[in-house]
Amino acid sequence: MSWTKVLSADTLPLNERQVVKVGNRNILLLNHEGQLYAIDNACPHLKLPMKKGKITEDGAIVCPFHRSAFDLRTGEVKAWSSWPPGIGKVLSVISREQVLSVFPTRVEEGSIWVDVDG
């Protein structure tokens, strides 16, 4: 594993989120109900930012732009965007269902660490 220290743990309060840069990736850190998550800030559907996505009761984050939903722990697709009639067949060719990238996290000595290579 290749861990990167991304920020001080006290700068990500309970139920807050923050985007950090790790290499060439924008990682969305979420402190959701005391659990720390790190996900790719670009939705795999159309590469739009996930930062303002709603978190559901069952632990999924919903893309704020097209309503695809992904499990925060695994990145598994919970729901994929339904396209409007007429353009669905065209757009589904360029954007097939894909999981959201999730990354291991840890808190050590007051800092949040993320592994984007593991």
Side-chain angles (χ1 to χ4, degrees):
M1 294 192 145
S2 177
W3 293 95
T4 302
K5 182 164 65 169
V6 292
L7 54 95
S8 175
D10 61 2
T11 61
L12 189 64
L14 185 65
N15 297 321
E16 293 293 322
R17 40 185 96 179
Q18 185 171 337
V19 176
V20 296
K21 191 86 166 167
V22 179
N24 63 351
R25 293 180 181 262
N26 288 318
I27 305 297
L28 176 59
L29 294 175
L30 303 101
N31 183 351
H32 179 67
E33 296 181 357
Q35 180 66 44
L36 188 61
Y37 300 98
I39 63 172
D40 194 335
N41 191 44
C43 177
H45 185 214
L46 292 175
K47 306 301 182 205
L48 297 168
M50 296 291 288
K51 184 174 182 182
K52 295 193 185 272
K54 176 186 169 197
I55 298 177
T56 65
E57 288 182 17
D58 66 345
I61 187 166
V62 180
C63 178
F65 298 97
H66 54 75
R67 297 178 307 280
S68 290
F70 306 90
D71 186 286
L72 278 173
R73 293 167 298 282
T74 66
E76 172 186 322
V77 176
K78 296 277 203 170
W80 195 250
S81 176
S82 56
W83 294 100
I87 64 169
K89 290 180 182 177
V90 174
L91 291 177
S92 66
V93 170
I94 61 173
S95 182
R96 298 198 188 286
E97 191 171 307
Q98 301 172 44
V99 299
L100 178 67
S101 295
V102 297
F103 307 100
T105 61
R106 73 177 194 220
V107 176
E108 187 175 298
E109 297 179 4
S111 295
I112 298 172
W113 296 73
V114 176
D115 177 19
V116 297
D117 297 322

